[in-house]
Structures are given as C-alpha cells and as structure tokens.
Amino acid sequence: KKWKQLSRLQRSVILFLFTFLAVCGVISYTSMGEPWKSLTNKSLDDQRTEPEIPRLKLANPAVLPAPQKADANLGDYPELSPQKPPKPPHIRRGPSNFQIKPPWRDGRLKAQRDTSRAVEEPVRADKEEKTEKSVISWRGAVIEPDQSTEPSSSKIKELEKPSSVEAEDQKEPVPITERQAAVIEAFRHAWKGYKDFAWGHDELKPLSKSYSEWFGLGLTLIDALDTMWILGLKEEFEEARKWVANDLVFDKNVDVNLFESTIRILGGLLSTYHLSGDSLFLEKAKDIGNRLMPAFKTPSKIPYSDVNIGRGTAHPPRWTSDSTVAEVTSIQLEFRELSRLTGDDKFQKAVDEVMKHVHTLSGKNDGLVPMFINTNSGQFTHLGVYTLGARADSYYEYLLKQWIQGGKKENELLEDYMRAIEGVKKHLLQRSQPKKLTFIGELAHGHFSAKMDHLVCFLPGTLALGAHNGLTADHMKLAEALIETCYQMYAQVETGLSPEIVHFNLHAQKGHKDVEIKPADRHNLLRPETVESLFYMYRFTGDKKYQDWGWEILQNFNKYTRVPTGGYTSINNVQNPSNPEPRDKMESFFLGETLKYMFLLFSDDIDLINLDKYVFNTEAHPLPIWVP
Ligand code: DMJ
C-alpha cells in the first residue's frame, strides 16, 4: 500500500539505491579474492546465505547396480533384471540412473593401464590436440592433467565404446576370480562373527565373543555397507540396511571424534548412497553431517577433535587445545560431497576454509607439515617434527584427492601436494641395507630417524593415482619402489604380516635384514594401507606380482588372525607364528577397507569402481569425481 502511495520519482530513487547497494555488495565480495575469509566471524547458520558453490554433476552415472547374491559357485551369477531406481531426493545433485548390470559382470575385462608407460610415451599428434586446454605449471614443469590418463591402446578402444545402457547390456558377464571368491569367504566369516556377537555395536571382540563400543553407532556395520555392495552380498546388505533404517540413531549424548566419524560414518553413508541410490543413506549422511558441524565453531575455525552429536557441543581433547593436522585436513572429501548432494554449501565452506588456512601457514618444511595445529591461534604447534605416518598421513592423501574430486581445478591443492612430495624426497627418503629398499623415515628437529609406520604405505597408491592423473612419471617410479618396501615389511617377518612400525637398517650388518622391529611395535591391527597401494599399483600397471603379493597377505591373515567362531583379530606379535597373541579386536576398517581393497585388487575389471569416476576417501569409501 505504502509503495503505491509513493510518487514515481520516490520509487525510482529507492529502486536505484537498492540496485546500487546490491552491485557494491557483489563487487566487494568478489574482490576479496578469498571469500572463505569472510566467514571467519560468522556463525555456521549464517553461512547458508553465502553464494552457492558452483553446480557440479557426476562424471558418470555414479550408481552401481544392486548387488547380486554372492554364491560359492564361481561365475554363477544370474542375470539381473533392470531395476527401477528409487527416486533420489535431490534430483539435480544426486546420482543419475542405475546401470543395468553389475560392472564386474559386463565383460569389460581389460588389460588397461600402464601409467608409467603412458606418461613416458612420446606425445602423439592427436593427443597434443586434446591436452592443449588445461596445462598447469609446477615450478617450471608442465603438467598436463590428461596426459597420463591418456589411454593405452586397449583403453582407447574402451573409451570409444558407447556408454549407453543398451550397449552395456550386450556385454558378457565378468565372472569373479577364485581369489575374489576367497575374499568373499573371508568377509562372510568376519561378518558372521560381527553378526553373532556384536550386531549393531562398534567393533567385534571375536575371542570373547562380545563387542566394544567407541561411539556406539554400529561403526563396523556402517563401514562395511559399501563393501557388501561391491562384493555382491545382497542378503547381508539388506539386513544391514534394515538396521540403518530402524536402529541407527544419531540423537545420542555421545562424544565422537570428528575425523573418525567423518571418514567412517559420513563417508560410508555417502558412498553407499551413490552405489545403491537409496535415499535412506543420504538422509542419514545429512543427519550426521549436521551434527558434526559444531566442531568448526572455534576461534580459528580449525575444528575441535571431538563433538557431542546429541548436545551439539564440541571440544578439544582434555589435555590440549590442539587438533591433529591429518584429522582436520582429511574430512574434506566427505563434507564437500555432502554440500554437492544437499545444495547446502555450509559443509564445503567449513572444510575449504581449513585447507585455505593451512595453505597459507608458516611452519612447513618444504611442504611437509607438523603434526598439530592449535584451535585458538590457528597456528601449527610442536614444530620441527615431520612424518608421513600417524597424525600427518592423510593430509597429503587428501591434497591430491580433493584436487581430483574437484575436477583438477583447485591449483593450491595441487601445489601443496607437489611441494610436499618434493619435501618427502628431500628430507625423508632413504635406502636401507642390505636390500637397498627405498623407505620414508621421519625428521625430528633436523635429526633423521629410519622409522616407518605401516600407515605410510598409503603413499605408493597415492603417488600412483597422481601419476595416473597426469603428474610426473617420477612419482610412479617412487611408488614402485615404495610398494616393494611395503611388501617387504610383510615378507621379511616371521608370520608374513607387517608390524605397526618398522625401523630400517641404514648400514649393512651381518645376519641383519633391512627391517628391524621393536617389541612395542610388533602388533598388527589388520590395517589396509599396503593392500590399498597394491590395488592402485595393479590397476595402473597390470603387473600380476601385485596380485600375488596381496594373495600372500590374505593367506597370512587367514593363518594368523582368523578366529574359528567368526571374525578376525588384531594380533600382538607378528614375529611369533606359534603364538601371535590375539588381541581380541576386529577393527571396522578390516571390513571397510582391507577386504574391499583385496577384492578390487583381485579384479581385472577397471570399471569395478573406475578410478576415473570415483575417488576413495581415506576409509576406502568411493565418492564420485565431479565434472562441471
Ligand atoms: C583408517 O581409519 C584410515 O585408513 C585412516 O586413514 C588411517 N587409519 C585407519 C586404517 O589404518
């Protein structure tokens, strides 16, 4: 009414003022160059009003078909009939249509690969045309992101094939291999223990036939969901889904670790949503994602380590206001994907801000980061100690993987990754005696220590993934050397299983192997890192020795860690085959990661989680790579 009573001139003046103010607002926002800085003093709820992240869609239909029932009968996989996909709640952002056939059945057995060859091959004329567009310069070197993904001839044919559902339908089923069947058997055995004695609880204690709680959120069950899907364990998957639908409740007065719950629970739910297309998992992912957000309410915006998901409060560990660097920088893939799926950019903004902040921080050593960061000051603490093991490991992994997830456009991530690998080469790389194994040690205040955590064995896989995505062939060479070392960490030990930490001999001594083990370090927690890297190495090179090494490891897990009544157990002593001292605990990552990577390692089908379409989070949950 009032508007109508105004004169025409008055209305024009008001409209002009409004437009003027709006234009000023846009200019000042974009000219800041680092819009994340504007968030510093805002509440997380306020962030919803910030400009939206660019719309991104999936590289490909990201939904794998429904799992088939895995039979003992090899190759006996009945045809799947086309399914009606459940309606995704966010059609624009969610996964697109179902494929009709399981990827492991569609006949695309490929020799694929050879990253190292691909990057070293002379660039062909047709390739030059294709790669002209996106060249990234790294310290004078020219990196062509598409170059190493340039397919070998077999892959070229593959890419030229029509990707329509009709064409997929005509492909021959790919039977699972005997080794994959052995992984399915191992999974079922582990699952039996969990189901019988720990159903709905965090971890199985297979010897005492009971369970342990960490967060009280069915951690093993959630971590294992996408593994069951990939292995084709339909019945088990359906049963677990029912538990998620009826019993998984996040409204609980419980403290959870932000990093662990992000990589295992949020990551597991998101990947299961992508594989199954079932919106239940997205709803649960949204719920836990929202409940974790209070962790970011700190003076520096570097998140606290712990969140009470029922009360909505967060805090650092009792003894410090520091967070672990790997923890605050390895939650990005999951929160960024949650923003993409929900259309709510608050998740992505919170985690991107952490990365931007860490990018600018001093205290690095040629790209290597310290292990702690203060949630008040936002500065690194405990300076001078550098490792690729515990507390720093997945910082490096997520630099590369975020760059891949985002379509290889976020150059700061790539810069930090490349600089860090140079730092690794300069400060941490050494060779052992007598076998001259290349290994990654640690640096403490200028002093080199020949200590290497098993956790570091993620690195060969990450380096190979980088090389596959166009980074220097040099990274692939380093990956080849390091995976040999990681394998030797198993092979040189009495049980054929790696300890948690090894020390390498720098000087040859009569009767000494390369690998020495201290009594405090001789446990094995069923960790995945070596098998994970073996999977990448096999995918990219096709060299069967990687499968054989993985097979040896699986057999040794069966020999020394399998509990007859169901489940597998961590052990205390990898050096004592007659009594490896079972610890009575099956970690959730044994099902979430170790067995999943085993199954993928023993497959010849590059479309069984295609690495040009998916990127694995640090808990082995595949998330889609975005394309504009
Ligand atoms: C897992 O939770 C993840 O792989 C993490 O990055 C490191 N620790 C375990 C497995 O070892």
Side-chain angles (χ1 to χ4, degrees):
K1 239 185 185 172
K2 283 202 175 140
W3 175 254
K4 280 187 186 157
Q5 285 162 4
L6 294 174
S7 73
R8 223 170 158 191
L9 182 65
Q10 284 170 318
R11 282 191 221 165
S12 312
V13 169
I14 291 170
L15 281 176
F16 173 77
L17 280 173
F18 263 112
T19 318
F20 179 73
L21 287 173
V23 168
C24 285
V26 169
I27 289 171
S28 74
Y29 176 81
T30 48
S31 65
M32 276 191 294
E34 294 174 319
W36 57 87
K37 285 195 175 151
S38 68
L39 296 174
T40 311
N41 297 315
K42 288 187 178 178
S43 79
L44 290 163
D45 281 343
D46 289 345
Q47 292 173 29
R48 279 182 209 164
T49 56
E50 296 291 349
E52 273 209 301
I53 51 165
R55 298 265 154 81
L56 294 156
K57 65 180 190 326
L58 301 187
N60 259 292
V63 182
L64 283 176
Q68 293 265 295
K69 191 172 182 300
D71 293 337
N73 206 348
L74 282 190
D76 181 19
Y77 278 67
E79 288 293 311
L80 272 185
S81 54
Q83 302 179 35
K84 201 172 168 221
K87 200 174 155 207
H90 298 279
I91 292 183
R92 278 202 324 261
R93 293 172 187 273
S96 37
N97 293 328
F98 275 91
Q99 291 173 318
I100 300 279
K101 285 189 172 193
W104 60 92
R105 303 185 59 247
D106 69 3
R108 284 169 294 175
L109 272 171
K110 279 151 231 94
Q112 183 211 343
R113 46 225 156 181
D114 205 329
T115 300
S116 47
R117 233 187 307 134
V119 286
E120 284 159 3
E121 263 170 17
V123 181
R124 294 193 308 272
D126 59 345
K127 185 166 125 190
E128 275 167 3
E129 272 173 36
K130 279 183 212 155
T131 53
E132 252 173 21
K133 34 188 166 87
S134 49
V135 175
I136 296 159
S137 165
W138 166 250
R139 284 198 179 161
V142 174
I143 301 160
E144 292 164 290
D146 292 330
Q147 191 173 335
S148 76
T149 54
E150 172 67 16
S152 59
S153 52
S154 64
K155 197 170 175 199
I156 291 173
K157 272 187 220 121
E158 173 55 25
L159 291 177
E160 284 166 358
K161 283 176 191 169
S163 60
S164 68
V165 163
E166 290 80 357
E168 304 242 339
D169 255 347
Q170 291 158 17
K171 308 230 166 68
E172 286 302 308
V174 177
I176 58 165
T177 64
E178 261 181 59
R179 288 176 176 183
Q180 283 181 295
V183 179
I184 290 173
E185 193 282 326
F187 184 97
R188 281 198 158 135
H189 183 76
W191 192 248
K192 175 186 161 16
Y194 179 74
K195 198 177 155 187
D196 289 352
F197 311 122
W199 184 252
H201 297 285
D202 283 344
E203 289 136 348
L204 168 67
K205 294 179 72 170
L207 295 177
S208 48
K209 300 186 181 144
S210 66
Y211 57 84
S212 55
E213 293 293 29
W214 188 7
F215 310 141
L217 297 172
L219 209 56
T220 295
L221 188 148
I222 300 175
D223 226 359
L225 283 167
D226 59 2
T227 306
M228 289 185 270
W229 187 276
I230 291 166
L231 268 56
L233 300 173
K234 190 174 165 58
E235 269 168 35
E236 290 85 344
F237 180 84
E238 288 305 331
E239 210 175 347
R241 185 208 178 273
K242 264 188 209 141
W243 183 87
V244 173
N246 301 327
D247 300 299
L248 177 59
V249 177
F250 293 128
D251 189 9
K252 272 188 171 176
N253 179 9
V254 60
D255 275 358
V256 303
N257 173 282
L258 170 69
F259 163 73
E260 298 290 357
S261 51
T262 299
I263 64 169
R264 300 184 199 214
I265 299 176
L266 179 56
L269 291 168
L270 288 173
S271 68
T272 306
Y273 168 62
H274 277 294
L275 299 180
S276 68
D278 185 337
S279 60
L280 165 72
F281 300 107
L282 180 58
E283 288 310 312
K284 292 288 179 187
K286 271 195 270 185
D287 189 6
I288 186 70
N290 275 307
R291 289 171 185 278
L292 292 173
M293 288 306 280
F296 296 90
K297 287 185 182 166
T298 69
S300 64
K301 302 286 173 189
I302 297 298
Y304 289 130
S305 57
D306 297 284
V307 195
N308 186 303
I309 52 172
R311 290 192 181 153
T313 53
H315 59 88
R318 226 170 272 147
W319 58 91
T320 175
S321 52
D322 289 350
S323 284
T324 294
V325 170
E327 292 196 358
V328 301
T329 55
S330 313
I331 49 179
Q332 279 64 16
L333 292 176
E334 300 81 358
F335 278 93
R336 283 156 50 113
E337 177 59 10
L338 188 59
S339 267
R340 197 187 65 81
L341 287 172
T342 60
D344 187 342
D345 61 0
K346 71 179 177 192
F347 306 109
Q348 171 149 16
K349 282 191 164 175
V351 294
D352 278 355
E353 193 175 342
V354 176
M355 294 312 295
K356 302 288 179 192
H357 178 79
V358 170
H359 175 72
T360 61
L361 274 187
S362 58
K364 292 180 200 152
N365 186 4
D366 290 317
L368 302 176
V369 289
M371 297 190 290
F372 297 97
I373 186 164
N374 190 273
T375 49
N376 293 321
S377 67
Q379 300 297 311
F380 288 129
T381 65
H382 303 81
L383 302 184
V385 181
Y386 303 100
T387 173
L388 259 79
R391 297 192 183 276
D393 48 0
S394 42
Y395 161 73
Y396 304 100
E397 179 188 350
Y398 268 37
L399 287 174
L400 178 77
K401 288 184 172 178
Q402 285 174 82
W403 178 70
I404 292 171
Q405 178 191 44
K408 305 188 204 174
K409 289 194 284 278
E410 296 152 289
N411 287 344
E412 285 182 356
L413 295 166
L414 178 62
E415 274 170 31
D416 287 350
Y417 176 73
M418 296 298 284
R419 189 169 292 127
I421 300 305
E422 290 307 305
V424 167
K425 287 191 207 159
K426 187 168 165 191
H427 299 289
L428 305 181
L429 209 59
Q430 276 284 0
R431 300 183 94 188
S432 66
Q433 294 292 348
K435 284 202 166 170
K436 301 199 180 350
L437 301 174
T438 301
F439 72 93
I440 311 277
E442 297 184 354
L443 195 65
H445 310 292
H447 175 79
F448 179 79
S449 155
K451 162 182 178 273
M452 179 163 152
D453 294 353
H454 182 271
L455 288 169
V456 181
C457 289
F458 81 93
L459 189 62
T462 298
L463 287 168
L465 181 65
H468 176 73
N469 279 279
L471 308 186
T472 164
D474 201 37
H475 285 197
M476 192 62 186
K477 289 213 176 79
L478 182 54
E480 281 166 0
L482 287 172
I483 190 62
E484 167 81 40
T485 306
C486 290
Y487 168 64
Q488 289 299 329
M489 285 165 63
Y490 287 70
Q492 293 197 8
V493 181
E494 289 80 347
T495 54
L497 291 175
S498 171
E500 180 74 357
I501 298 170
V502 298
H503 288 77
F504 286 95
N505 281 315
L506 290 173
H507 308 287
Q509 291 175 66
K510 216 174 163 204
H512 283 250
K513 296 180 189 165
D514 300 69
V515 169
E516 300 278 357
I517 305 166
K518 306 213 161 158
D521 305 330
R522 57 191 185 196
H523 48 288
N524 178 297
L525 305 184
L526 312 170
R527 286 198 191 277
E529 290 76 18
T530 296
V531 180
E532 168 186 353
S533 284
L534 287 171
F535 156 64
Y536 284 104
M537 297 305 292
Y538 182 67
R539 257 304 154 93
F540 297 141
T541 68
D543 188 335
K544 297 267 182 208
K545 80 176 174 206
Y546 298 124
Q547 286 188 324
D548 294 342
W549 292 352
W551 182 239
E552 271 176 41
I553 294 172
L554 179 63
Q555 285 172 311
N556 290 325
F557 276 136
N558 275 328
K559 201 163 167 189
Y560 296 108
T561 72
R562 187 173 163 118
V563 178
T565 45
Y568 288 74
T569 179
S570 307
I571 53 174
N572 267 330
N573 190 352
V574 292
Q575 292 181 294
N576 188 353
S578 55
N579 181 14
E581 298 169 30
R583 272 196 168 191
D584 196 18
K585 181 156 169 178
M586 184 173 79
E587 301 278 351
S588 78
F589 50 70
F590 184 62
L591 300 190
E593 296 194 70
T594 312
L595 291 180
K596 184 189 290 152
Y597 282 131
M598 287 271 187
F599 187 79
L600 295 172
L601 165 65
F602 299 141
S603 167
D604 274 313
D605 184 0
I606 63 158
D607 284 327
L608 182 52
I609 312 296
N610 187 316
L611 291 173
D612 296 322
K613 297 175 187 171
Y614 290 94
V615 60
F616 283 94
N617 87 340
T618 192
E619 189 76 7
H621 299 302
L623 298 172
I625 293 170
W626 308 339
V627 292

